[in-house]
Amino acid sequence: MVSPVTVVKSEGPKLVPFFKATCVYFVLWLPTSSPSWFSALIKCLPIFCLWVFLLAHGISFLGEHSSARKILAGLIFSALGDAFLIWQEQGYFSHGLLMFAITHILYSSAFGMEPLNAMAGLVIGAVSAVSYALLYPYLSGPFTYLVAVYIALIGFMGWRAIAGVRLHSDLWTWTKLSACLGAMLFMVSDLTIAVNKFCFPVPHSRAIIMATYYAAQMLIALSAVECQNADMARKKA
């Protein structure tokens, strides 16, 4: 297993643009009441930096590892979703929902189906069911089933990320833990969006949503470098 110190030294510098872009977003804090292409750019900029983070590992790295390619594709659809949500009051909320649904499918595929960990699946399934039950009275029209499908997809993604964490065995890796934490933060972010939009105003909702969202995307992007760590370990052996 690659040590955390090695990870910080090797991956930290590549994430500096992401941290700077995130700071720019929170410093400017552009109003959501007046959507524009500039505000969309500022919101998407940290995600663009995560594209660069993965590309910085080399085209050959992405070519050799399908999981890294899927996470990069997920980040691309995430940026599209972010842009659509800038104009959600103009009727583009469902478009953003679709983009993020595709993102969760890609992330789930990247995390894979091994190990299965049925217990984690049951727990996430129960949490997803309770979440939908709480939202259901406030939903109407197409959102009644769109939200159900979306919760199922993000729940499945969370299950596949959590299932990979095996702290009790020698197969533990920091990247698996990173994917797990990222998935859970993504679920917190999206649940906050749903409650704030459909149920009642959540205090400081935007700060909660964006802080957990950016952290989630960074952690999931970090999980993609597991393949490279494995390659490095084999070369040293």
Side-chain angles (χ1 to χ4, degrees):
M1 183 181 69
V2 180
S3 73
V5 175
T6 302
V7 172
V8 171
K9 288 182 178 179
S10 63
E11 306 302 333
K14 300 186 187 77
L15 284 171
V16 169
F18 165 79
F19 289 120
K20 288 183 176 180
T22 302
C23 289
V24 168
Y25 173 83
F26 284 106
V27 168
L28 291 182
W29 204 246
L30 298 171
T32 54
S33 57
S34 54
S36 66
W37 286 107
F38 180 69
S39 59
L41 173 63
I42 295 301
K43 184 182 181 184
C44 295
L45 193 57
I47 306 303
F48 294 159
C49 291
L50 291 178
W51 298 2
V52 176
F53 166 75
L54 289 180
L55 291 170
H57 290 82
I59 299 299
S60 60
F61 165 72
L62 293 172
E64 292 171 5
H65 303 292
S66 63
S67 59
R69 292 197 303 273
K70 289 170 184 174
I71 289 177
L72 177 59
L75 289 169
I76 292 172
F77 278 99
S78 293
L80 292 172
D82 284 332
F84 278 125
L85 291 181
I86 288 287
W87 285 276
Q88 61 178 292
E89 299 303 327
Q90 285 71 38
Y92 288 97
F93 182 81
S94 58
H95 297 71
L97 206 65
L98 175 61
M99 294 299 103
F100 280 110
I102 295 172
T103 293
H104 296 317
I105 293 171
L106 288 164
Y107 285 170
S108 299
S109 180
F111 298 148
M113 292 299 296
E114 295 290 340
L116 187 63
N117 198 337
M119 182 57 68
L122 289 173
V123 172
I124 291 296
V127 171
S128 298
V130 170
S131 298
Y132 183 68
L134 293 174
L135 292 170
Y136 181 78
Y138 301 93
L139 302 174
S140 60
F143 285 115
T144 302
Y145 60 85
L146 287 176
V147 171
V149 172
Y150 186 84
I151 287 177
L153 289 174
I154 193 172
F156 185 81
M157 185 274 290
W159 170 35
R160 297 321 312 146
I162 294 169
V165 179
R166 289 176 283 182
L167 298 176
H168 60 280
S169 73
D170 293 336
L171 297 175
W172 181 88
T173 63
W174 68 269
T175 48
K176 295 292 186 184
L177 184 60
S178 178
C180 173
L181 293 174
M184 288 192 291
L185 286 173
F186 217 136
M187 295 174 74
V188 170
S189 178
D190 281 359
L191 182 60
T192 306
I193 290 175
V195 171
N196 188 68
K197 181 174 180 63
F198 298 113
C199 302
F200 52 82
V202 176
H204 311 293
S205 60
R206 189 176 167 198
I208 296 170
I209 290 165
M210 296 311 298
T212 52
Y213 170 70
Y214 286 141
Q217 293 284 35
M218 180 196 70
L219 289 167
I220 290 172
L222 270 171
S223 74
V225 306
E226 177 182 20
C227 308
Q228 191 174 62
N229 289 337
D231 293 342
M232 291 169 59
R234 280 196 296 269
K235 289 176 181 177
K236 291 179 179 179

